[in-house]
């Protein structure tokens, strides 16, 4: 299932459930997490595009256009999919990273995470996943580490994504680990971890 289809599936679940299970609903009966999914999807289209719909994403930053100094802040979202059988866990969260091209380092986090649990309910997850990298060239290794919990479900994450700067000049960053291994309550599961960022404030 594509990330786009996964997002739409979770969007439908949030609409149908009215935010049940996570305390994310409001007095109006509209789950505010729906708006966050809309923002994430709009950003995904701007940065990665949708080739099936004829929407082109940003080009990879050419080597000649890579920043050689200074710092850039990026904001966006992370998505985590954990394969648990017929019903995978699908999580979304706010993400940010600060890239210092003077020291060639990057630090950030995925936080404010929500998604499905083992029963298919949409819930909020506590915890933070930290992001770190040594910035050298494209194909930047961006490590992630942390734990996310909701009720009786705990996910332990530790691995490395491959990051790519996008735009000429650089205005976005995306990274993915499509063969991740995540511990769900101590049991190793196959998973994917993807982050998508845009420069903030915009250039």
């Amino acid at each position: 299932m594509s990330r786009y289809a996964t997002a739409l599936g979770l969007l439908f679940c949030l609409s149908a459930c009215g935010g049940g299970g996570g305390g994310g609903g409001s007095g109006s009966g509209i789950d505010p997490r729906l708006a966050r999914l809309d923002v994430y999807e709009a950003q995904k289209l701007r940065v990665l595009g949708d080739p099936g719909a004829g929407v082109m994403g940003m080009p990879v930053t050419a080597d000649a256009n890579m920043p050689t100094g200074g710092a850039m802040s990026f904001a966006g979202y992370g998505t985590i999919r954990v394969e648990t059988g017929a019903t995978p866990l699908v999580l979304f969260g706010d993400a940010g990273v600060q890239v210092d091209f003077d020291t060639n380092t990057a630090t950030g986090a995925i936080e404010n995470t929500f998604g499905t649990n083992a029963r298919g309910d949409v819930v909020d997850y506590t915890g933070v996943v930290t992001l770190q990298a040594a910035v050298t060239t494209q194909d930047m290794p961006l490590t992630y580490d942390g734990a996310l919990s909701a009720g009786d479900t705990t996910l332990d994450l530790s691995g490395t994504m491959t990051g790519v700067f996008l735009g000429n000049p650089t205005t976005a960053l995306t990274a993915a680990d499509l063969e991740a291994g995540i511990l769900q309550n101590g049991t190793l599961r196959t998973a994917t971890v993807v982050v998508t960022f845009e420069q903030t404030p915009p250039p």
Side-chain angles (χ1 to χ4, degrees), residues 15 17 32-33 89 109 112 149 165:
S15 300
C17 297
R33 293 171 293 195
L89 304 180
N112 302 322
S149 298
F165 292 95

Side-chain angles (χ1 to χ4, degrees), residues 79-100:
T79 179
I80 301 161
R81 178 185 169 103
V82 183
E83 302 300 335
T84 60
T87 306
L89 304 180
V90 181
L91 286 68
F92 293 86
D94 299 329
V97 67
Q98 177 84 8
V99 181
D100 189 328

Side-chain angles (χ1 to χ4, degrees), residues 145-202:
D145 186 75
L148 301 172
S149 298
D152 58 1
T153 299
T154 297
L155 303 175
D156 291 299
L157 299 84
S158 181
T160 303
M161 294 179 278
T162 299
V164 178
F165 292 95
L166 303 173
N168 290 291
T170 300
T171 54
L173 169 64
T174 188
D177 182 1
L178 302 181
E179 297 180 349
I182 291 178
L183 292 174
Q184 179 195 11
N185 296 340
T187 300
L188 183 63
R189 308 287 193 185
T190 59
T192 58
V193 181
V194 180
V195 290
T196 304
F197 304 100
E198 288 180 287
Q199 183 182 359
T200 180

Side-chain angles (χ1 to χ4, degrees), residues 18-26 31-33 122-124:
S26 65
D31 194 314
R33 293 171 293 195
V122 177
V123 297
D124 292 325

Side-chain angles (χ1 to χ4, degrees), residues 61-84:
T61 301
D63 289 342
N65 292 331
M66 284 289 294
T68 57
M72 296 177 69
S73 295
F74 295 88
Y77 73 97
T79 179
I80 301 161
R81 178 185 169 103
V82 183
E83 302 300 335
T84 60

